[in-house]
Amino acid sequence: MKDYIKIDEWKIIEDGFNSAHNKISESIFSLGNGRMGQRANFEEAYSGETLQGNYVAGVYYNDKTRVGWWKNGYPEYFSKVLNAANWVGIDVAIDGEQLDLAKCAVSNFRRELNMKEGYLKRNFTAKNNSGKQVEVEAIRFCSMADDEAGAIKYTITPLNFDGALTVTPFIDGDVVNQDANYDEKFWDEVAKGCDDNDCYIQMRTKKTGFDVATGMQFSILQNGQAIETAHEIIQKEKYIGAKITLQAQKGQPITVFKYAANLSSQNHKVEDLIINLKATLDRVSKKGFDTMLAEQAAAWEEKWKHNDIIIEGDPSAQQAIRFNIFQLNQTYTGEDDRLNIGPKGFTGEKYGGVTYWDTEAYCVPFYLSTAEQKVTKNLLLYRYKQLEQAYQNAGMLGFGNGAALYPMVSINGIECHNEWEITFEELHRNGAIAYAIFNYVRYTGDADYLVDYGLEVLIGIARFWRYRVSWSAEKEKYVMLGITGPNEYENNINNNWYTNTLATWCMQYAMEVMEKVKAIDADKYAKLIAKLNFNEEQETGKFTHIIDNMYYPYDERNQVFLQQDGYLDKEQILVKDLPASDRPLNQKWSWDRILRSCFIKQADVLQGIYFFEDKYDIDTIRRNFDFYEPRTVHESSLSPCLHAILAAKLGDEARAYEFYLRTARLDLDDYNNDTEDGCHITSMAGTWMAVVEGFGGMRMRDDKLSFKPFLPGKWASFSFHVGFRDSLLNVRVSKEQIAIKNLSGIETTVLVHDKTYLVKANSEVVI
Ligand code: BGC
């Protein structure tokens, strides 16, 4: 765990340069606008430890899978949102000596991520080998208002010399992915060029054939005056820069404004890319840096209106929750149903920027409450549009007849995980996708979604489970063999309680939705089942038989649901009895030792209890929590947040807060020693859930929002925003009261500790 980020309620601050933390800071200070994003790499050259990262959403490469002996069913490739052209670079040389913080004496270093207004600022003083000193301030952002554009204002002031200063703003497409399976370069250059102060490169991804045009336009101020200077065009393979040599005067600042844009063939015709790129650059540079920055602040003000959480009395918790909300909004804006949320967002390469079940199980609740309805709808449509591939994936397992298996890891709908033995059998993701549909419709009331899209997905998923279970003559029950549950520290197990429970729930829900759709639009229903060749009587008959005869492992002695068959054959040791030196297990123990131990990576049975909480009485929840949590090592960042919610439900406020602390500052404090790979974006949604569903006790009950809040002991108060069916509520919990303010013109009814309250338009209810 690190403790170098300064506490501030609206900013993330690093004071002083510690090169050993650079890769961590590059992750933490990342920028994004849903369409593109980047790690906080320096503008000027840096020869120290760094992970260069610029990403364009939806632009990926299919990297051939790397395995030992090939087996049928292995994915052909691992898709990754690849490292794209670097548009932030500005080389600086002082009398011919390159400015490189790894080779200078650095002082007054400070990085600030301004979360209120959405920009990154960096200041430092550097003294080079010949004793020349400059002061630098760099401000940059990825524009929320113009999501294909970004801008940089880079100011250098000579402190103790007059002399030649060269600045070279550039675009560098000669980049690699650190995680490339075969050390290949993923891009080919298509074109590059420069006119006046515009330079661009167009590149194409190998195999997948996405074209991305990245360009820049620059202007220079010296001592506050715009100057026109000649520049020399520097061209190398996949690189173009404009070198400008200036006579610098001591104390007189030189400012480079660099406007940049990234346009991809996903959104533009290939033949129009360069024309549209230039038009974008012209448009944003005409606006100018200050206007763009003001628009950025306005866009973020609008976001914060809908999703700020205010914590009084604990600045560190305040900073942390805003950081999580900020990063989630930088990652996904919901404008485009072809995009999704990679577990590391735009902050690193790990997990390839592709989609996992994290989206449906963890991110959907966040976006449902904090963004317009269309944002979550687009996440659902993303899967709807990949239904064909889900049929193909099921086909590879031997199931036809309209069975759909969504992938565990994918960007284009085709399964592409790198780790066969774990992810292949994590079939539970199919259920999370059905659960997200249920969650969306329950929250928004948008039953039309079921008619037009949802039911089609649900039938495919239900059919998959129907074929994937098998009849055990011995048990006289349906069983499910060869599974990995959410707990990835058990592979190829039989009868994972969570997966069996989810599978029958999916079949049940699909049948309920059939009835609903029939009632809403019988004609559309008839067309759909004809299209799917769905034999209603026979297939629902089969679903019902499975639902009625499914086997759920249970342990009578402890009165708990059993994670899987044979779980109790394992030596039962508790996490508290593990030596600290053995943790984290995934770094200290062999895989064999992990698999035969009883230790649980993340919520598994408890994931099911969280999803289907209403089915279980409080004693059942408590017994399962008390049994499984002490065996859980929480080595997935998705784990503590669910435990926080369940502990809150059980009235264990202290533990709820303790679990919350384990996720809230996970990246800011580099809790798991892995933030340098990127931030844990999807688990940030879990942190939000821990506050709103945990401390706020928010649930959906009978078509209404229900709250059962409590105030963590250390806090003076907390408040959060939730949007619900066109109304926007602010819920504030303090020692004295719970206040629910309706910030919209639409009245709504809520439940607080099971009592009903009408919250009129633009008014407040105080309890
Ligand atoms: C977790 C998975 C998760 C993945 C991506 C893994 O460590 O065990 O549940 O989907 O990370 O976040």
Side-chain angles (χ1 to χ4, degrees), residues 343 351 356-358 408 426 486 488 601-602 635-636 638 682:
Y351 298 118
Y356 285 67
W357 74 304
D358 306 29
M408 181 66 182
E426 273 194 78
E488 293 180 339
K601 182 181 181 189
Q602 68 201 87
E635 288 180 11
S636 160
L638 298 175
T682 48

Side-chain angles (χ1 to χ4, degrees), residues 391-409:
Y391 295 141
Q392 276 180 46
N393 293 332
M396 287 183 38
L397 271 62
F399 306 129
N401 195 23
L405 173 61
Y406 280 94
M408 181 66 182
V409 181

Side-chain angles (χ1 to χ4, degrees), residues 180-194:
N181 280 349
Y182 296 91
D183 290 332
E184 281 173 278
K185 290 198 173 175
F186 298 156
W187 294 98
D188 287 325
E189 182 182 308
V190 177
K192 66 173 172 248
C194 262

Side-chain angles (χ1 to χ4, degrees), residues 41-59:
N41 305 132
F42 296 161
E43 284 82 3
E44 70 284 348
Y46 184 63
S47 57
E49 279 288 304
T50 170
L51 172 66
Q52 295 287 306
N54 286 276
Y55 311 99
V56 181
V59 174

